[in-house]
Amino acid sequence: MADPNEVNVREGGGNLASDIEAALSGEVPFSNLPLADFSQEEITKAMQDALALVEKNLGKDYPFVIGGELLHSDDKSVSLNPSHIHQEIGHISKASTVDVGDAVTAAKEAFKAWSHTSARERAMVLLVAAEEMRHRKYELAAWQVYEEGKNWVEADADLAESIDYLEYYAREALRLDMPLRFDIPGETNEYFYEPRGVCVVIAPWNFPLAISAGMTTAALAAGNTVIYKPSGDSPVVGAIMVDILNRSGLPTGVLNFVPGPGAEIGDPLVSHPDVDLIAFTGSREVGLRIVRLAGDTREGQRGIKRVIAEMGGKNALIVAEDADLEAAAMGTVISAYGYQGQKCSACSRAIVLEGVYDKYLEILTEKTMQITIGPAEDPDAFFGPLINEAARKKVLRYIEIGKHEARLALHRDVGSLADEGYFVGPVIFADVPPRARIAQEEIFGPVLSVIRAKDIDEAIEVANDSDYALTGGAYSASRETLDRVKREFKVGNLYLNRKITGSVVNRQPFGGFKMSGIGSKAGGPDYLRQFMIPRTVTEKIG
Ligand code: NAD
């Protein structure tokens, strides 16, 4: 079990054991980790040093982990740097379908003891791991620069969010550990939560540490055991997370790691009769498949599987006639092209009122022309590569579709970067019909559809005309318009007069509905409950 006294190796002094005790006792409430300020020389230097350190460690072998054993197989996948596709990040042993069965057995066995550990002990593991992540902050961000093509700021934000999840879910586990009592004379009633069992965590690559750590530690904090499958595009970051958590005091078999292609090991994982719950974040296509498969019961299965699925988006920003157009265009650029549009929350539709349409488009185009494009390790690059060749082909296909559906207003050339990595420059389509494919389908790349609306009624109607309901926003100077958008634009996370990406744990719990997902918001007060079973015990007394 985690012992903070044994990991009290803090640089710059401070006592970890007493800090963890203060968090566990509620004396130190949750607070978000501030983002790195790269305008400060010593912080830039720390990131440069971390990039150099990680570069020296590229190309190593990573095992899968079952029941505490580190296992290597001959069947390995190679993780590549999307900015420089000749550069290998690591070689990862793939778990087979047989290994998946072994992982479920190990997790089921470990559940017997882990489900009886106290919330305090479980929370302590998360807090110890959070401390290690803070300690290795720049190094962990640097891995994402190399493996996922995130620029410095995006990589740091993912890291901060990861630590926030650990700190937040540790405290949530303690909060939910207090049974509610409804006693009357002659009868006691107790309402409390218990863990569900074996949880399969299936994660995407685009927030390689934050989403993986969020789903995994929520499951663990609630007392479940976990089989974690990272994305094939972020296995090294996944392996590092597993190593940190396992060294932070998790007993053997509580967290198992099965990297491998979703198409091969996904179905056996989801369908296994001894899996009780699946926490998935990824595309609608895979999410719906998981929901369907999890709904079937197999021989020997004792319960109905619970599925938490966070899926895609086709997010819109409304620009009203009284909007500050400079701010609206800037908010659109950051929301549409941050991490090359590869965020579930990214803006892919700008719905602009007639009266300001031309002016907005002009400013938007100007600002998009100013974006700096380059490899992710370049501190000046705002815009980097797409994650892999399939993503590049998909985006290029949609650009061709868009040329038949709308007017191509801008497609930035990336020059020779396209030979070096998976680069596709930012794209703006103007005069896009609201029902066009480029305005309805999730592209997951830097392609923005600008749509004309005659008034705010039409803008809201177009904004809601989507299968998805994840994020959205509006720019307006009018209280009345903002209130109306708040009431009528139905999305999980709505942002007014600001960018629509970059939600923060606890302050902006995150998640959508319709085809964007089933589940309560990550980083919010209902999230952990989904990983638990509520029970009521009534006793007649006297
Ligand atoms: P993806 O659906 O392709 O993959 C997600 C995970 O599912 C990966 O680990 C993959 O290996 C696995 N997988 C693939 N086939 C599977 C199968 N048959 N059974 C089980 N698992 C399988 O998605 P991605 O490309 O990794 O991520 C991008 C998608 O994720 C986008 O649609 C984006 O909007 C969405 N996303 C949503 C959120 C959110 O919070 N709503 C956050 C991030 C990303």
Side-chain angles (χ1 to χ4, degrees):
M1 195 50 61
D3 180 353
N5 290 305
E6 284 179 13
V7 287
N8 201 357
V9 284
R10 236 187 206 174
E11 267 183 7
N15 187 313
L16 174 59
S18 64
D19 282 2
I20 286 188
E21 190 46 51
L24 291 171
S25 68
E27 197 185 307
V28 175
F30 171 79
S31 64
N32 298 106
L33 188 76
L35 297 176
D37 176 1
F38 291 114
S39 68
Q40 289 185 33
E41 216 173 292
E42 72 272 19
I43 295 188
T44 302
K45 168 87 170 62
M47 188 66 189
Q48 269 158 351
D49 291 349
L51 285 164
L53 175 79
V54 168
E55 195 172 13
K56 283 198 201 111
N57 283 289
L58 297 180
K60 293 195 167 161
D61 282 352
Y62 293 85
F64 54 94
V65 184
I66 295 176
E69 270 191 78
L70 308 186
L71 301 161
H72 291 269
S73 73
D74 294 335
D75 189 8
K76 291 187 173 54
S77 65
V78 183
S79 179
L80 299 175
N81 181 345
S83 300
H84 306 282
I85 46 192
H86 57 273
Q87 189 172 48
E88 295 182 355
I89 306 303
H91 303 118
I92 298 88
S93 285
K94 288 196 224 164
S96 66
T97 49
V98 174
D99 300 320
V100 161
D102 292 346
V104 176
T105 306
K108 193 178 172 189
E109 184 58 31
F111 181 72
K112 291 175 192 159
W114 183 244
S115 56
H116 290 292
T117 54
S118 66
R120 188 188 151 82
E121 281 173 288
R122 300 193 306 253
M124 197 187 294
V125 173
L126 271 63
L127 295 171
V128 169
E131 176 65 16
E132 176 163 347
M133 286 186 187
R134 272 190 295 271
H135 187 62
R136 293 171 61 185
K137 185 175 137 108
Y138 298 108
E139 180 215 329
L140 294 175
W143 279 107
Q144 300 193 22
V145 171
Y146 284 109
E147 192 178 42
E148 284 79 36
K150 287 210 169 210
N151 71 18
W152 290 25
V153 170
E154 298 286 353
D156 172 66
D158 180 273
L159 203 269
E161 186 179 344
S162 313
I163 294 168
D164 284 355
Y165 280 131
L166 268 61
E167 293 279 344
Y168 181 78
Y169 293 142
R171 288 169 175 81
E172 282 293 285
L174 294 166
R175 179 175 72 84
L176 294 171
D177 191 40
M178 290 173 205
L180 301 176
R181 301 202 66 95
F182 305 96
D183 297 343
I184 57 166
E187 182 184 282
T188 61
N189 292 288
E190 207 179 321
Y191 179 85
F192 57 92
Y193 294 101
E194 285 185 353
R196 285 182 173 268
V198 172
C199 177
V200 165
V201 171
I202 302 178
W205 48 267
N206 69 331
F207 286 90
L209 192 58
I211 292 179
S212 292
M215 292 193 289
T216 301
T217 61
L220 294 171
N224 304 285
T225 52
V226 170
I227 301 153
Y228 161 58
K229 196 202 92 53
S231 160
D233 289 303
S234 56
V236 172
V237 169
I240 293 170
M241 177 197 84
V242 170
D243 176 59
I244 292 175
L245 283 168
N246 273 334
R247 283 187 301 95
S248 297
L250 286 178
T252 301
V254 169
L255 173 58
N256 304 278
F257 178 52
V258 291
E264 284 170 31
I265 62 169
D267 287 2
L269 267 173
V270 169
S271 309
H272 198 292
D274 287 333
V275 166
D276 301 285
L277 126 106
I278 300 135
F280 167 81
T281 305
S283 63
R284 162 181 173 171
E285 185 195 358
V286 175
L288 293 181
R289 181 183 178 82
I290 289 174
V291 168
R292 207 167 52 242
L293 279 180
D296 287 341
T297 41
R298 273 128 197 119
E299 192 156 339
Q301 188 173 325
R302 283 270 166 91
I304 303 163
K305 293 173 199 279
R306 175 75 180 252
V307 179
I308 301 157
E310 306 294 342
M311 304 184 286
K314 190 72 194 174
N315 312 303
L317 246 175
I318 295 172
V319 182
E321 277 173 344
D322 56 2
D324 174 341
L325 293 187
E326 280 287 329
M330 191 45 131
T332 313
V333 167
I334 294 169
S335 306
Y337 304 124
Y339 193 34
Q340 298 76 261
Q342 302 175 112
K343 299 183 187 182
C344 53
S345 53
C347 172
S348 52
R349 297 181 294 156
I351 303 167
V352 187
L353 265 65
E354 195 99 72
V356 290
Y357 185 92
D358 292 338
K359 186 72 197 158
Y360 165 85
L361 193 58
E362 187 190 317
I363 305 173
L364 176 77
T365 309
E366 250 169 46
K367 291 197 186 302
T368 308
M369 281 306 293
Q370 286 160 10
I371 287 176
T372 47
I373 304 177
E377 73 280 4
D378 176 351
D380 296 327
F382 168 81
F383 188 98
L386 297 176
I387 189 67
N388 57 30
E389 185 57 24
R392 170 154 70 178
K393 284 195 175 130
K394 181 180 173 190
V395 169
L396 292 175
R397 213 167 43 241
Y398 270 105
I399 295 172
E400 288 312 308
I401 292 170
K403 284 179 188 166
H404 292 103
E405 293 184 317
R407 176 166 70 82
L408 182 64
L410 180 72
H411 183 182
R412 288 272 311 269
D413 184 19
V414 293
S416 61
L417 283 170
D419 304 325
E420 181 67 19
Y422 305 119
F423 287 85
V424 177
V427 175
I428 300 173
F429 279 106
D431 306 335
V432 179
R435 297 295 304 165
R437 285 185 65 190
I438 57 166
Q440 289 292 325
E441 297 171 17
E442 189 187 46
I443 301 173
F444 220 57
V447 180
L448 176 69
S449 292
V450 184
I451 302 170
R452 203 184 282 268
K454 69 174 187 303
D455 53 28
I456 196 72
D457 297 298
E458 190 175 89
I460 294 173
E461 195 186 314
V462 168
N464 282 325
D465 181 18
S466 168
D467 293 349
Y468 297 101
L470 191 51
T471 70
Y475 278 86
S476 170
S478 138
R479 184 73 261 155
E480 197 189 331
T481 303
L482 294 176
D483 285 345
R484 205 166 146 211
V485 169
K486 178 177 158 192
R487 262 193 327 272
E488 295 177 24
F489 184 8
K490 307 281 188 188
V491 288
N493 286 61
L494 181 71
Y495 300 91
L496 303 175
N497 286 326
R498 55 152 278 179
K499 65 175 179 155
I500 66 169
T501 53
S503 69
V504 173
V505 171
N506 188 41
R507 245 167 58 205
Q508 293 131 1
F510 185 80
F513 50 97
K514 284 162 76 180
M515 288 297 172
S516 293
I518 39 166
S520 293
K521 287 167 177 300
D526 298 317
Y527 191 71
L528 221 62
R529 284 182 222 258
Q530 306 173 103
F531 293 81
M532 298 170 161
I533 297 169
R535 290 185 59 206
T536 302
V537 174
T538 300
E539 183 176 345
K540 186 173 180 305
I541 47 172

